Amino acid sequence: MSYIRLGLHKWSNVNKQFLVALLSGVVVGFVTAYVILSPAILLVALGDPHTSQEMESASGPSIDPGVHRHDEEFHQMENSTVADLMFKKVRILCWIMTGPSNHEKRARHVKATWGKRCNKLIFMSSQKDDSLPAVALPVGEGRNNLWGKTKEAFKYVYHNHMHEADWFLKADDDTYVILENLRYMLLPYRSTDSIYFGCKFKPYVKQGYMSGGAGYVLSKEAVRKFVELGLNSTKCSKSNSGAEDVEMGKCLEAVEVKAGDSRDSVGRGRFFPFVPEHHLIPGHVKKSFWYWQYIYYESKEGMDCCSDNAVSFHYVTPNQMYVLEYLIYHLRPYGISYQVEMPPELVEEHEKNKMTSL
Ligand SMILES: *[C@@H]1O[C@H](CO)[C@@H](O)[C@H](O)[C@H]1NC(C)=O
Ligand SMILES: *[C@@H]1O[C@H](CO)[C@@H](O)[C@H](O)[C@H]1NC(C)=O
């Protein structure tokens, strides 16, 4: 008996030491991982992508989903007069941040969905691709070059396409944008105003800065100031590295471009740094997540989170782009229709068009 007990005692002593070592290893490992990866770890169980790491495995449809045929009855009911007028009056150049490994996987799905509604669509890469088209900017790939790439992209736009648009949108290849709502938001502003819009975050920059993933839109005047004053001086970081959106925010503040308010008339946001589900389902974005400390204006979660005229969502997989496309532009509850009033900014143009079509 005593022998066995002694043996067990010895065994459990050794085991205890081993267990303590093992446990402290696990704890240290977890704490380290938590500190380094906390946003990713907090959200890993949530399913939908929430970070760029989680987006890496997402790929789009391998068979072309084709186009949606309009139901004749619905098609006749659709009235896009206002959207068509806005298309001409609020011209938007969209440039999409992408890279060679994502031309096929993501960029072409942006082009097949929301990208086609931009007045001009350009993909910014480090490899030329005429089918998109993608521009080969003289910068390296990877997160460490995003700021450098953003500077080069706006420089390229400034030198080659300034006359083709009034506003200049930067979006990622996993951002989904509703162009009609962006034009509607911009309608009261002039492209000569020194302003930019997006999902405004609080830290690092006094007037706030715009989330990179949700996309941000600069007036023509803001692009001019950014390139002529910002990139040509020590006001903006000369390095290629640094957080793209924070550096952009600092730079635009330094050249006196105002960080605009993109909320709708009832105070709901229009630019979103996550997919709709993460804003709509309470608790999906944990209270401890950086988002709640960063967001500039008080924002709600749940069904009242988001504007009826929302402009953008981020971390949208290529497949989900086709889903949003269907939900936003095709699915309609039968028997409910709505008419929008002609915005005052468009009345004159509308009257002119009516005269010429008579
Ligand atoms: C379409 O909408 C515009 C603007 O609200 C309106 O002036 C026009 O009469 C509408 N057209 C039709 C066919 O209903
Ligand atoms: C940068 O500044 C120089 C000297 O002031 C000027 O000649 C040049 O045109 C500026 N470049 C841009 C892109 O504005």
Side-chain angles (χ1 to χ4, degrees):
M1 265 306 251
S2 65
Y3 173 78
I4 291 171
R5 229 184 247 154
L6 189 66
L8 269 179
H9 185 70
K10 260 190 193 156
W11 181 84
S12 64
N13 246 351
V14 171
N15 219 23
K16 236 185 242 158
Q17 272 171 9
F18 173 72
L19 265 178
V20 166
L22 182 73
L23 275 177
S24 42
V26 167
V27 168
V28 168
F30 263 96
V31 168
T32 314
Y34 183 86
V35 169
I36 297 169
L37 299 166
S38 56
I41 283 201
L42 277 172
L43 289 150
V44 108
L46 292 178
D48 280 322
H50 214 109
T51 63
S52 45
Q53 291 99 300
E54 289 169 73
M55 279 301 294
E56 254 146 46
S57 58
S59 65
S62 49
I63 300 167
D64 181 3
V67 291
H68 182 90
R69 283 173 305 136
H70 273 290
D71 184 304
E72 276 307 313
E73 198 182 345
F74 273 1
H75 196 48
Q76 279 165 15
M77 266 165 29
E78 200 171 79
N79 179 351
S80 62
T81 306
V82 171
D84 296 343
L85 284 170
M86 287 195 305
F87 183 85
K88 291 189 200 136
K89 174 137 180 138
V90 189
R91 295 175 307 159
I92 298 173
L93 179 147
C94 308
W95 74 257
I96 314 298
M97 179 80 84
T98 190
S101 61
N102 282 326
H103 290 188
E104 267 302 295
K105 243 170 45 186
R106 296 195 202 167
R108 72 186 169 99
H109 302 297
V110 169
K111 185 182 174 172
T113 59
W114 68 267
K116 64 186 176 208
R117 300 188 187 91
C118 302
N119 294 75
K120 177 93 190 167
L121 176 67
I122 307 173
F123 293 88
M124 297 297 183
S125 180
S126 57
Q127 207 170 75
K128 197 167 142 68
D129 183 341
D130 290 327
S131 72
L132 285 171
V135 175
L137 296 174
V139 278
E141 287 297 332
R143 290 195 78 76
N144 278 340
N145 285 304
L146 283 184
W147 168 232
K149 210 161 156 186
T150 300
K151 289 188 285 186
E152 287 301 327
F154 274 112
K155 233 196 282 184
Y156 177 86
V157 164
Y158 173 88
H159 288 295
N160 297 284
H161 301 285
M162 273 302 255
H163 58 287
E164 289 170 71
D166 311 296
W167 297 86
F168 300 83
L169 172 80
K170 177 262 160 178
D172 286 347
D173 55 13
D174 55 357
T175 313
Y176 187 95
V177 181
I178 299 133
L179 264 297
E180 292 82 357
N181 292 344
L182 178 56
R183 293 195 180 97
Y184 174 54
M185 184 196 87
L186 295 173
L187 197 52
Y189 298 90
R190 286 165 308 183
S191 61
T192 49
D193 294 340
S194 200
I195 197 162
Y196 81 122
F197 297 92
C199 172
K200 207 192 286 185
F201 285 156
K202 222 170 359 193
Y204 309 120
V205 184
K206 204 192 267 165
Q207 66 167 354
Y209 71 98
M210 307 303 172
S211 147
Y216 47 79
V217 65
L218 276 68
S219 70
K220 192 192 287 252
E221 174 64 5
V223 175
R224 189 193 67 78
K225 281 186 162 179
F226 178 65
V227 175
E228 288 181 11
L229 309 177
L231 303 190
N232 217 2
S233 71
T234 51
K235 283 181 177 160
C236 303
S237 162
K238 295 274 183 209
S239 158
N240 274 358
S241 62
E244 167 248 330
D245 45 11
V246 176
E247 292 304 331
M248 190 71 188
K250 285 182 187 165
C251 182
L252 289 174
E253 183 174 78
V255 296
E256 292 171 358
V257 172
K258 190 180 167 210
D261 181 352
S262 61
R263 291 173 299 168
D264 68 9
S265 58
V266 288
R268 290 181 298 212
R270 299 194 225 225
F271 289 76
F272 295 95
F274 305 115
V275 289
E277 183 179 332
H278 285 281
H279 298 282
L280 290 164
I281 307 302
H284 238 32
V285 179
K286 296 265 175 292
K287 280 294 165 209
S288 55
F289 196 52
W290 59 264
Y291 174 72
W292 298 110
Q293 274 88 59
Y294 272 48
I295 193 75
Y296 192 91
Y297 302 109
E298 197 191 326
S299 351
K300 284 186 191 162
E301 46 184 1
M303 290 300 282
D304 204 31
C305 63
C306 312
S307 176
D308 292 355
N309 304 119
V311 168
S312 73
F313 293 98
H314 186 219
Y315 294 131
V316 177
T317 63
N319 285 357
Q320 209 61 32
M321 292 207 176
Y322 292 93
V323 174
L324 286 177
E325 193 74 6
Y326 169 67
L327 294 178
I328 295 168
Y329 291 96
H330 301 296
L331 180 69
R332 295 288 178 266
Y334 182 80
I336 300 177
S337 63
Y338 73 96
Q339 177 116 26
V340 291
E341 252 173 62
M342 184 60 65
E345 294 86 355
L346 298 173
V347 167
E348 200 181 316
E349 199 60 34
H350 182 50
E351 293 301 321
K352 231 192 291 171
N353 284 359
K354 270 205 299 204
M355 296 300 276
T356 51
S357 69
L358 279 177

Short mmCIF file of all heavy atoms in Angstrom, two decimals, residues 314-350:
data_model
loop_
_atom_site.label_atom_id
_atom_site.label_comp_id
_atom_site.label_asym_id
_atom_site.label_seq_id
_atom_site.Cartn_x
_atom_site.Cartn_y
_atom_site.Cartn_z
N HIS A 314 -17.66 46.87 -45.75
CA HIS A 314 -16.31 46.34 -45.95
C HIS A 314 -16.22 44.87 -45.51
O HIS A 314 -17.08 44.40 -44.78
CB HIS A 314 -15.30 47.19 -45.14
CG HIS A 314 -13.87 46.80 -45.37
ND1 HIS A 314 -12.94 46.78 -44.36
CD2 HIS A 314 -13.22 46.43 -46.51
CE1 HIS A 314 -11.77 46.42 -44.87
NE2 HIS A 314 -11.90 46.20 -46.16
N TYR A 315 -15.15 44.20 -45.94
CA TYR A 315 -14.94 42.77 -45.74
C TYR A 315 -16.04 41.97 -46.43
O TYR A 315 -16.53 40.96 -45.91
CB TYR A 315 -14.85 42.40 -44.25
CG TYR A 315 -13.63 42.98 -43.56
CD1 TYR A 315 -13.75 43.67 -42.35
CD2 TYR A 315 -12.37 42.87 -44.13
CE1 TYR A 315 -12.64 44.23 -41.72
CE2 TYR A 315 -11.26 43.41 -43.50
CZ TYR A 315 -11.41 44.09 -42.32
OH TYR A 315 -10.31 44.63 -41.71
N VAL A 316 -16.43 42.44 -47.59
CA VAL A 316 -17.44 41.75 -48.39
C VAL A 316 -16.70 40.77 -49.30
O VAL A 316 -15.84 41.17 -50.09
CB VAL A 316 -18.24 42.78 -49.22
CG1 VAL A 316 -19.25 42.06 -50.11
CG2 VAL A 316 -18.94 43.78 -48.30
N THR A 317 -17.05 39.49 -49.16
CA THR A 317 -16.39 38.48 -50.01
C THR A 317 -16.91 38.64 -51.44
O THR A 317 -17.99 39.19 -51.66
CB THR A 317 -16.73 37.05 -49.53
OG1 THR A 317 -18.15 36.87 -49.67
CG2 THR A 317 -16.32 36.83 -48.08
N PRO A 318 -16.15 38.13 -52.41
CA PRO A 318 -16.62 38.23 -53.80
C PRO A 318 -18.02 37.63 -53.98
O PRO A 318 -18.85 38.20 -54.66
CB PRO A 318 -15.56 37.44 -54.58
CG PRO A 318 -14.33 37.53 -53.73
CD PRO A 318 -14.80 37.53 -52.32
N ASN A 319 -18.27 36.49 -53.36
CA ASN A 319 -19.61 35.90 -53.48
C ASN A 319 -20.67 36.84 -52.94
O ASN A 319 -21.73 37.03 -53.53
CB ASN A 319 -19.70 34.58 -52.69
CG ASN A 319 -18.98 33.44 -53.38
OD1 ASN A 319 -18.46 33.60 -54.49
ND2 ASN A 319 -18.96 32.29 -52.74
N GLN A 320 -20.37 37.44 -51.80
CA GLN A 320 -21.33 38.33 -51.15
C GLN A 320 -21.61 39.58 -52.00
O GLN A 320 -22.67 40.18 -51.88
CB GLN A 320 -20.80 38.70 -49.76
CG GLN A 320 -21.87 39.01 -48.73
CD GLN A 320 -22.80 37.84 -48.47
OE1 GLN A 320 -22.41 36.68 -48.55
NE2 GLN A 320 -24.05 38.11 -48.17
N MET A 321 -20.67 39.94 -52.86
CA MET A 321 -20.90 41.09 -53.74
C MET A 321 -22.07 40.82 -54.68
O MET A 321 -22.89 41.70 -54.95
CB MET A 321 -19.66 41.41 -54.57
CG MET A 321 -18.55 41.93 -53.69
SD MET A 321 -17.41 42.98 -54.55
CE MET A 321 -16.38 43.43 -53.14
N TYR A 322 -22.17 39.58 -55.16
CA TYR A 322 -23.29 39.22 -56.04
C TYR A 322 -24.59 39.15 -55.24
O TYR A 322 -25.66 39.48 -55.75
CB TYR A 322 -23.01 37.89 -56.74
CG TYR A 322 -21.87 38.00 -57.75
CD1 TYR A 322 -20.56 37.71 -57.38
CD2 TYR A 322 -22.12 38.43 -59.05
CE1 TYR A 322 -19.52 37.85 -58.29
CE2 TYR A 322 -21.08 38.56 -59.97
CZ TYR A 322 -19.78 38.27 -59.59
OH TYR A 322 -18.76 38.40 -60.48
N VAL A 323 -24.48 38.73 -53.97
CA VAL A 323 -25.67 38.68 -53.12
C VAL A 323 -26.20 40.09 -52.88
O VAL A 323 -27.39 40.37 -53.05
CB VAL A 323 -25.37 37.98 -51.77
CG1 VAL A 323 -26.57 38.06 -50.84
CG2 VAL A 323 -24.96 36.53 -52.00
N LEU A 324 -25.30 41.01 -52.53
CA LEU A 324 -25.71 42.41 -52.31
C LEU A 324 -26.29 43.01 -53.58
O LEU A 324 -27.29 43.73 -53.56
CB LEU A 324 -24.53 43.25 -51.81
CG LEU A 324 -24.12 43.01 -50.36
CD1 LEU A 324 -22.89 43.84 -50.00
CD2 LEU A 324 -25.26 43.35 -49.40
N GLU A 325 -25.65 42.71 -54.69
CA GLU A 325 -26.10 43.20 -55.99
C GLU A 325 -27.57 42.82 -56.22
O GLU A 325 -28.39 43.64 -56.60
CB GLU A 325 -25.18 42.57 -57.04
CG GLU A 325 -25.25 43.15 -58.40
CD GLU A 325 -24.58 44.52 -58.54
OE1 GLU A 325 -23.94 45.00 -57.60
OE2 GLU A 325 -24.75 45.09 -59.63
N TYR A 326 -27.88 41.55 -55.94
CA TYR A 326 -29.24 41.06 -56.12
C TYR A 326 -30.21 41.73 -55.13
O TYR A 326 -31.28 42.21 -55.52
CB TYR A 326 -29.27 39.53 -55.94
CG TYR A 326 -30.65 38.96 -55.84
CD1 TYR A 326 -31.52 38.98 -56.95
CD2 TYR A 326 -31.13 38.40 -54.65
CE1 TYR A 326 -32.81 38.48 -56.86
CE2 TYR A 326 -32.40 37.90 -54.55
CZ TYR A 326 -33.25 37.94 -55.66
OH TYR A 326 -34.52 37.45 -55.56
N LEU A 327 -29.81 41.78 -53.86
CA LEU A 327 -30.70 42.34 -52.83
C LEU A 327 -30.97 43.83 -53.06
O LEU A 327 -32.07 44.32 -52.84
CB LEU A 327 -30.11 42.14 -51.43
CG LEU A 327 -29.99 40.69 -50.94
CD1 LEU A 327 -29.34 40.65 -49.56
CD2 LEU A 327 -31.36 40.03 -50.88
N ILE A 328 -29.95 44.56 -53.50
CA ILE A 328 -30.08 46.01 -53.63
C ILE A 328 -30.71 46.42 -54.96
O ILE A 328 -31.55 47.31 -55.00
CB ILE A 328 -28.70 46.69 -53.45
CG1 ILE A 328 -28.20 46.46 -52.03
CG2 ILE A 328 -28.80 48.20 -53.74
CD1 ILE A 328 -26.74 46.83 -51.83
N TYR A 329 -30.35 45.75 -56.03
CA TYR A 329 -30.78 46.23 -57.34
C TYR A 329 -31.89 45.41 -58.00
O TYR A 329 -32.45 45.85 -59.00
CB TYR A 329 -29.57 46.33 -58.29
CG TYR A 329 -28.63 47.44 -57.87
CD1 TYR A 329 -27.51 47.16 -57.09
CD2 TYR A 329 -28.90 48.77 -58.20
CE1 TYR A 329 -26.66 48.18 -56.68
CE2 TYR A 329 -28.07 49.79 -57.80
CZ TYR A 329 -26.95 49.49 -57.03
OH TYR A 329 -26.13 50.50 -56.62
N HIS A 330 -32.23 44.26 -57.45
CA HIS A 330 -33.24 43.44 -58.12
C HIS A 330 -34.40 42.98 -57.25
O HIS A 330 -35.55 43.05 -57.66
CB HIS A 330 -32.57 42.23 -58.78
CG HIS A 330 -31.53 42.64 -59.78
ND1 HIS A 330 -31.83 43.34 -60.91
CD2 HIS A 330 -30.18 42.49 -59.78
CE1 HIS A 330 -30.72 43.61 -61.59
NE2 HIS A 330 -29.71 43.10 -60.92
N LEU A 331 -34.11 42.47 -56.06
CA LEU A 331 -35.20 41.96 -55.23
C LEU A 331 -36.11 43.10 -54.80
O LEU A 331 -35.64 44.12 -54.27
CB LEU A 331 -34.62 41.26 -53.98
CG LEU A 331 -35.66 40.67 -53.03
CD1 LEU A 331 -36.36 39.48 -53.64
CD2 LEU A 331 -35.01 40.28 -51.72
N ARG A 332 -37.41 42.97 -55.04
CA ARG A 332 -38.37 44.01 -54.68
C ARG A 332 -39.60 43.38 -54.04
O ARG A 332 -40.09 42.38 -54.54
CB ARG A 332 -38.83 44.79 -55.92
CG ARG A 332 -37.73 45.60 -56.61
CD ARG A 332 -37.34 46.83 -55.79
NE ARG A 332 -36.26 47.56 -56.43
CZ ARG A 332 -34.97 47.38 -56.14
NH1 ARG A 332 -34.60 46.49 -55.24
NH2 ARG A 332 -34.04 48.09 -56.76
N PRO A 333 -40.10 43.98 -52.96
CA PRO A 333 -41.37 43.49 -52.42
C PRO A 333 -42.51 43.97 -53.32
O PRO A 333 -42.68 45.18 -53.50
CB PRO A 333 -41.44 44.13 -51.03
CG PRO A 333 -40.54 45.31 -51.09
CD PRO A 333 -39.57 45.13 -52.22
N TYR A 334 -43.25 43.04 -53.90
CA TYR A 334 -44.28 43.38 -54.89
C TYR A 334 -45.38 44.24 -54.24
O TYR A 334 -45.86 43.94 -53.16
CB TYR A 334 -44.89 42.11 -55.48
CG TYR A 334 -45.92 42.45 -56.54
CD1 TYR A 334 -45.52 42.78 -57.82
CD2 TYR A 334 -47.28 42.48 -56.22
CE1 TYR A 334 -46.44 43.13 -58.79
CE2 TYR A 334 -48.21 42.83 -57.18
CZ TYR A 334 -47.79 43.16 -58.46
OH TYR A 334 -48.71 43.51 -59.41
N GLY A 335 -45.73 45.31 -54.92
CA GLY A 335 -46.85 46.13 -54.45
C GLY A 335 -46.41 47.35 -53.66
O GLY A 335 -47.22 48.17 -53.29
N ILE A 336 -45.13 47.43 -53.36
CA ILE A 336 -44.63 48.62 -52.68
C ILE A 336 -43.73 49.36 -53.67
O ILE A 336 -42.78 48.79 -54.18
CB ILE A 336 -43.80 48.26 -51.43
CG1 ILE A 336 -44.64 47.48 -50.42
CG2 ILE A 336 -43.22 49.53 -50.78
CD1 ILE A 336 -43.87 47.02 -49.19
N SER A 337 -44.06 50.60 -53.93
CA SER A 337 -43.16 51.37 -54.79
C SER A 337 -42.95 52.71 -54.13
O SER A 337 -43.73 53.12 -53.28
CB SER A 337 -43.74 51.54 -56.18
OG SER A 337 -44.94 52.28 -56.11
N TYR A 338 -41.90 53.36 -54.49
CA TYR A 338 -41.71 54.69 -53.92
C TYR A 338 -41.14 55.61 -54.97
O TYR A 338 -40.44 55.20 -55.88
CB TYR A 338 -40.82 54.64 -52.68
CG TYR A 338 -39.37 54.38 -52.97
CD1 TYR A 338 -38.46 55.44 -53.07
CD2 TYR A 338 -38.91 53.10 -53.17
CE1 TYR A 338 -37.13 55.21 -53.36
CE2 TYR A 338 -37.58 52.85 -53.45
CZ TYR A 338 -36.70 53.91 -53.55
OH TYR A 338 -35.39 53.68 -53.85
N GLN A 339 -41.48 56.86 -54.81
CA GLN A 339 -41.05 57.88 -55.76
C GLN A 339 -40.19 58.86 -54.98
O GLN A 339 -40.53 59.23 -53.87
CB GLN A 339 -42.29 58.58 -56.32
CG GLN A 339 -41.98 59.70 -57.26
CD GLN A 339 -42.51 59.40 -58.66
OE1 GLN A 339 -43.45 58.64 -58.83
NE2 GLN A 339 -41.89 59.99 -59.66
N VAL A 340 -39.06 59.27 -55.55
CA VAL A 340 -38.27 60.29 -54.86
C VAL A 340 -38.56 61.64 -55.47
O VAL A 340 -38.87 61.75 -56.66
CB VAL A 340 -36.75 60.00 -54.93
CG1 VAL A 340 -36.41 58.78 -54.11
CG2 VAL A 340 -36.26 59.85 -56.35
N GLU A 341 -38.50 62.66 -54.64
CA GLU A 341 -38.69 64.01 -55.14
C GLU A 341 -37.44 64.43 -55.90
O GLU A 341 -36.34 64.01 -55.56
CB GLU A 341 -38.88 64.95 -53.96
CG GLU A 341 -40.31 65.46 -53.83
CD GLU A 341 -40.50 66.25 -52.56
OE1 GLU A 341 -39.83 67.30 -52.44
OE2 GLU A 341 -41.29 65.81 -51.71
N MET A 342 -37.63 65.28 -56.88
CA MET A 342 -36.47 65.77 -57.61
C MET A 342 -35.66 66.67 -56.68
O MET A 342 -36.16 67.67 -56.20
CB MET A 342 -36.97 66.56 -58.83
CG MET A 342 -35.87 67.05 -59.75
SD MET A 342 -34.86 65.76 -60.45
CE MET A 342 -36.02 64.86 -61.48
N PRO A 343 -34.40 66.30 -56.37
CA PRO A 343 -33.60 67.16 -55.48
C PRO A 343 -33.42 68.54 -56.10
O PRO A 343 -33.26 68.63 -57.33
CB PRO A 343 -32.26 66.43 -55.39
CG PRO A 343 -32.53 65.04 -55.85
CD PRO A 343 -33.65 65.13 -56.83
N PRO A 344 -33.47 69.61 -55.28
CA PRO A 344 -33.38 70.97 -55.81
C PRO A 344 -32.16 71.18 -56.71
O PRO A 344 -32.23 71.90 -57.70
CB PRO A 344 -33.30 71.85 -54.56
CG PRO A 344 -33.11 70.93 -53.40
CD PRO A 344 -33.60 69.58 -53.82
N GLU A 345 -31.06 70.48 -56.39
CA GLU A 345 -29.82 70.65 -57.18
C GLU A 345 -29.97 70.17 -58.62
O GLU A 345 -29.15 70.48 -59.47
CB GLU A 345 -28.66 69.88 -56.52
CG GLU A 345 -28.22 70.39 -55.17
CD GLU A 345 -29.04 69.81 -54.02
OE1 GLU A 345 -30.03 69.07 -54.28
OE2 GLU A 345 -28.72 70.10 -52.86
N LEU A 346 -31.02 69.35 -58.85
CA LEU A 346 -31.15 68.74 -60.18
C LEU A 346 -32.31 69.31 -61.00
O LEU A 346 -32.46 68.96 -62.18
CB LEU A 346 -31.35 67.22 -60.03
CG LEU A 346 -30.21 66.44 -59.38
CD1 LEU A 346 -30.62 65.00 -59.16
CD2 LEU A 346 -28.95 66.50 -60.23
N VAL A 347 -33.10 70.18 -60.37
CA VAL A 347 -34.31 70.69 -61.02
C VAL A 347 -34.01 71.34 -62.36
O VAL A 347 -34.63 71.02 -63.38
CB VAL A 347 -35.07 71.66 -60.09
CG1 VAL A 347 -36.14 72.43 -60.85
CG2 VAL A 347 -35.69 70.90 -58.92
N GLU A 348 -33.03 72.20 -62.37
CA GLU A 348 -32.69 72.95 -63.58
C GLU A 348 -32.33 72.01 -64.73
O GLU A 348 -32.84 72.12 -65.84
CB GLU A 348 -31.52 73.89 -63.28
CG GLU A 348 -31.39 75.03 -64.26
CD GLU A 348 -30.18 75.90 -63.91
OE1 GLU A 348 -29.99 76.21 -62.71
OE2 GLU A 348 -29.43 76.23 -64.83
N GLU A 349 -31.45 71.06 -64.43
CA GLU A 349 -30.99 70.10 -65.43
C GLU A 349 -32.17 69.26 -65.94
O GLU A 349 -32.28 68.98 -67.13
CB GLU A 349 -29.93 69.20 -64.77
CG GLU A 349 -29.04 68.44 -65.72
CD GLU A 349 -28.23 69.37 -66.64
OE1 GLU A 349 -27.85 70.46 -66.19
OE2 GLU A 349 -28.01 68.97 -67.80
N HIS A 350 -33.03 68.89 -65.00
CA HIS A 350 -34.19 68.07 -65.35
C HIS A 350 -35.11 68.82 -66.31
O HIS A 350 -35.57 68.26 -67.30
CB HIS A 350 -34.94 67.71 -64.05
CG HIS A 350 -36.12 66.83 -64.28
ND1 HIS A 350 -36.06 65.67 -65.02
CD2 HIS A 350 -37.41 66.94 -63.87
CE1 HIS A 350 -37.25 65.09 -65.04
NE2 HIS A 350 -38.10 65.85 -64.36
#
